[in-house]
DNA sequence: GTGAAAGCGCTAACAA
DNA sequence: TTGTTAGCGCTTTCAC
């Protein structure tokens, strides 16, 4: 219970081991070019004193921080209706931990916070940033790119100004949607409706594209834009049933929407999947398992997305590497992860 | 797009403003004791150069970091089946941001990670820690207390070794449970069952106590220990129905469990709430709204819990203050937040 | 292979 | 009120 009084310094360790500070430093940082017996002596001294390097002092000279910012820009409550970010965080955390990096979490509450985040990032407190921003018109990504910090985005960024260079990780929204709709078609369904998400988000737009890849643009009446919420799903489902009473399948852009749709279908006396088959997207648990009937849906490997984002940031070619200055790295700007159709009872 | 070359230092600002570094420092840190015209000159130079203080250099001398660690020790997937932590994080983040503190997120994956976290905390990289650890036998809280870092716990800590001094924030699990069960009694229900959570978690134990406050210990057959999962809820509900077919109400220790119970009740042909009334705990959205019927449940103000934790940590009496050395602060060790019964259709 | 010494950018006495 | 100066604890040339 020795009170934190003042923690031992390199100096103290050096004294104890009977070597110079430089030697201790070398040992602490990997021990390259120090002879074995000395290494051992220093290790022991470190152990005995419970020495932990002072990161501030180290950063001051190395200009590295071994810290990465995770920026989550989600003004709405959606972040919390959804374990999505939590899972990605887990993936990110694992990868960062494996490389001895710390995770600094920056949550933004709205536009006011943007300046704060931009300042922080520009302030060089972290070695890079992982950014989640879902809306096309979000000014934050621009601010961040301007801050000159190496960045990897979560989800395909929607802006278009020479953004070919932005590194990102996304899941295969389009392919997943295609698989879902194709599955409905294979079931013999011919009037397949789609409840979209907010189309200012690339994930929603991509899922719509996937739907169209299979059914074409033939029946615009079968597509309703919604908002990724259960309430929106209900409204959309009602509209669809009013417009096309004979529809026999629904592909909802996410599970929340699908849950709302399911309720309306039940309320209107449609049996699922007998009369109308339903597929969602996300495999959001426990929701997808708890709906009635349990929801067939498209799963994405969210944790892996997080891990990959961190890996891309950490392993990007260093500032001195050929072909780039680090911030605007290398070739493969975007990485897209596969999705899987999870069959339950609803389709 | 000026590449981060090297950011301006205090020195540069001083030169530009024609003053000394000390003066710039004073202005940057609030401007106390500097005459107005100078303040203005310095501010301008800061602006023009886009100066941002180097936190590492500052920490090195002040030994403060304006950073707080949030430690989430949850080996299981529960963290992510539940927006609980995300919400608390939001609350914490808001409060920290308001006081210009950064949030360093430490997720632990299991025992292996404990040493890492303990080392980090002991390393003096942060000014304090907010710790979530749900299990009685978790060694992490002990390690952390040993690290000598000011700490506030999320949820009443369960260990007993002189832990009267540990600061924590919890919601009124016992009172909430009492309100739920009392509501069931007011509905005229007389055979009220309880599906508990894992009793090695104080929240589950406290909810059981609340239940007993109302119904007493009379009917042990009406209480089944479960695990906070839907599957566990199903199993518990089956056991309950087998043992006490005539039961007319169930208080489930959380919404996930309640959802499982609801399914079994339907499957066994019991109408809810007519035959059996059901109440959950948490008000976990969207689940609680999407069950059939929508779930009556006990809501806790999760975000406020987070905010309060941060506030307690930030405003704790400083190291020099009377009556304590900061780590083992003042009087009110624990703060308990009220809960609210949310009435929906299930009870 | 090892040590001595020079800062990294900042704050905090202390002097002026 | 302002400036001068001495470090904070560490890494990193550069000699030896």
């Amino acid at each position: 219970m020795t009170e934190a009084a003042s923690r031992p310094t390199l100096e103290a360790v050096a004294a104890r081991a009977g070597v110079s500070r430089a030697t201790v430093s070398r040992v602490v940082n990997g021990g390259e070019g120090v002879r074995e017996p000395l290494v051992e002596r220093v290790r022991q001294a470190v152990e005995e004193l419970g020495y932990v390097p002072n990161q501030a002092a180290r950063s001051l000279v190395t200009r590295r921080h071994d810290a990465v910012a995770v920026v989550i820009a989600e003004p709405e409550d959606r972040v919390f209706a959804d374990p999505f970010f939590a899972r990605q965080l887990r993936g990110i955390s694992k990868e960062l931990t494996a490389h001895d990096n710390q995770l600094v979490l920056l949550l933004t509450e709205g536009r006011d916070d943007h300046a704060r985040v931009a300042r922080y990032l520009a302030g060089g407190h972290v070695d890079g940033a992982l950014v989640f921003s879902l809306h096309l018109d979000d000014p934050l990504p621009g601010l961040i790119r301007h801050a000159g910090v190496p960045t990897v985005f979560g989800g395909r960024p929607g802006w278009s100004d020479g953004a070919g260079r932005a590194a990102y990780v996304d899941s295969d929204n389009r392919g997943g949607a295609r698989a879902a709709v194709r599955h409905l078609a294979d079931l013999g369904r011919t009037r397949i409706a789609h409840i979209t998400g907010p189309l200012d988000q690339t994930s929603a737009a991509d899922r719509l594209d996937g739907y169209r890849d299979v059914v074409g643009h033939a029946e615009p009446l079968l597509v309703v834009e919604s908002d990724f919420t259960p309430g929106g799903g209900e409204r959309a489902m009602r509209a669809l049933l009013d417009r096309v009473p004979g529809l026999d399948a629904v592909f909802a852009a996410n599970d929340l929407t699908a849950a709302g749709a399911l309720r309306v279908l039940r309320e209107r006396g449609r049996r699922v999947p007998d009369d109308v088959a339903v597929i969602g997207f996300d495999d959001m648990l426990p929701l997808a398992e708890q709906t009635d009937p349990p929801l067939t849906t498209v799963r994405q490997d969210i944790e892996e997305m997080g891990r990959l984002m961190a890996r891309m940031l950490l392993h990007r070619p260093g500032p001195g590497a050929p072909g780039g200055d680090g911030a605007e790295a290398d070739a493969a700007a975007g990485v897209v992860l596969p999705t899987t159709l999870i069959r339950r009872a609803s389709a």
Side-chain angles (χ1 to χ4, degrees), chain A:
Chain A
M1 200 94 336
T2 22
E3 198 45 349
S6 69
R7 297 180 304 107
T9 69
L10 248 204
E11 182 93 49
V13 178
R16 175 137 198 149
V19 298
S20 73
R21 275 149 54 199
T23 297
V24 177
S25 175
R26 288 191 264 260
V27 171
V28 168
N29 291 292
E32 297 287 300
V34 179
R35 248 192 279 274
E36 192 43 49
L38 272 201
V39 171
E40 209 34 64
R41 271 222 320 268
V42 172
R43 288 251 161 80
Q44 180 137 355
V46 165
E47 189 69 24
E48 290 168 2
L49 264 40
Y51 169 74
V52 182
N54 179 322
Q55 184 64 41
R58 176 180 281 174
S59 292
L60 187 54
V61 33
T62 60
R63 289 148 183 298
R64 288 179 46 263
H65 302 265
D66 297 319
V68 167
V70 172
V71 182
I72 299 185
E74 220 8 37
E76 291 142 77
D77 265 347
R78 209 193 134 230
V79 194
F80 301 131
D82 192 332
F84 188 82
F85 287 115
R87 265 233 178 63
Q88 295 226 39
L89 273 181
R90 173 74 86 182
I92 290 170
S93 165
K94 278 185 181 166
E95 191 68 25
L96 291 183
T97 295
H99 293 85
D100 266 311
N101 267 261
Q102 295 309 323
L103 192 172
V104 178
L105 187 64
L106 268 29
L107 261 28
T108 74
E109 211 55 50
R111 305 275 151 124
D112 303 350
D113 281 2
H114 287 172
R116 180 191 114 236
V117 170
R119 195 171 353 109
Y120 183 76
L121 259 28
H125 301 298
V126 291
D127 302 324
L130 300 175
V131 179
F132 297 89
S133 166
L134 285 62
H135 297 279
L136 276 186
D137 60 345
D138 192 332
L140 190 58
L143 288 174
I144 288 175
R145 294 171 73 204
H146 206 257
V149 186
T151 301
V152 174
F153 289 90
R156 182 169 70 79
W159 67 89
S160 47
D161 55 324
R165 304 249 45 84
Y168 70 89
V169 174
D170 202 353
S171 62
D172 187 8
N173 290 302
R174 187 164 184 165
R178 220 149 37 203
V181 179
R182 213 176 276 136
H183 175 67
L184 291 170
D186 289 349
L187 253 28
R189 311 294 166 142
T190 55
R191 322 217 62 191
I192 304 173
H194 179 36
I195 304 176
T196 77
L199 294 174
D200 68 332
Q201 299 183 25
T202 56
S203 61
D206 290 352
R207 288 168 201 182
L208 173 57
D209 286 344
Y211 165 81
R212 287 196 173 133
D213 287 345
V214 180
V215 306
H217 286 67
E219 297 240 38
L221 282 181
L222 284 169
V223 175
V224 180
E225 179 166 355
S226 184
D227 59 3
F228 277 156
T229 70
E234 292 182 5
R235 282 189 295 279
M237 193 67 241
R238 286 203 185 90
L240 281 170
L241 285 173
D242 291 346
R243 274 148 49 163
V244 192
L247 62 82
D248 56 12
V250 178
F251 167 51
N254 75 347
D255 290 349
L256 251 25
T257 305
L262 242 26
R263 280 226 297 232
V264 169
L265 286 169
R266 194 186 316 132
E267 165 191 314
R268 296 274 180 110
R270 302 294 210 285
R271 289 167 307 157
V272 176
D274 312 73
D275 300 328
V276 180
V278 176
I279 298 190
F281 206 112
D282 282 347
D283 195 29
M284 180 188 301
L285 299 178
L287 181 68
E289 282 176 334
Q290 301 294 322
T291 54
D292 178 26
L295 194 63
T296 292
T297 187
V298 179
R299 174 187 295 168
Q300 29 190 344
D301 190 344
I302 298 176
E303 186 169 319
E304 177 61 18
M305 286 180 66
R307 223 174 350 232
L308 199 50
M309 286 177 69
R311 212 174 299 146
M312 284 174 66
L313 189 62
L314 260 22
H315 296 176
R316 98 206 101 85
D325 59 8
E328 323 231 311
D330 199 293
V335 175
V336 175
L337 261 30
T339 55
T340 330
L341 187 69
I342 304 295
R343 293 206 52 187
R344 295 203 181 87
S346 72

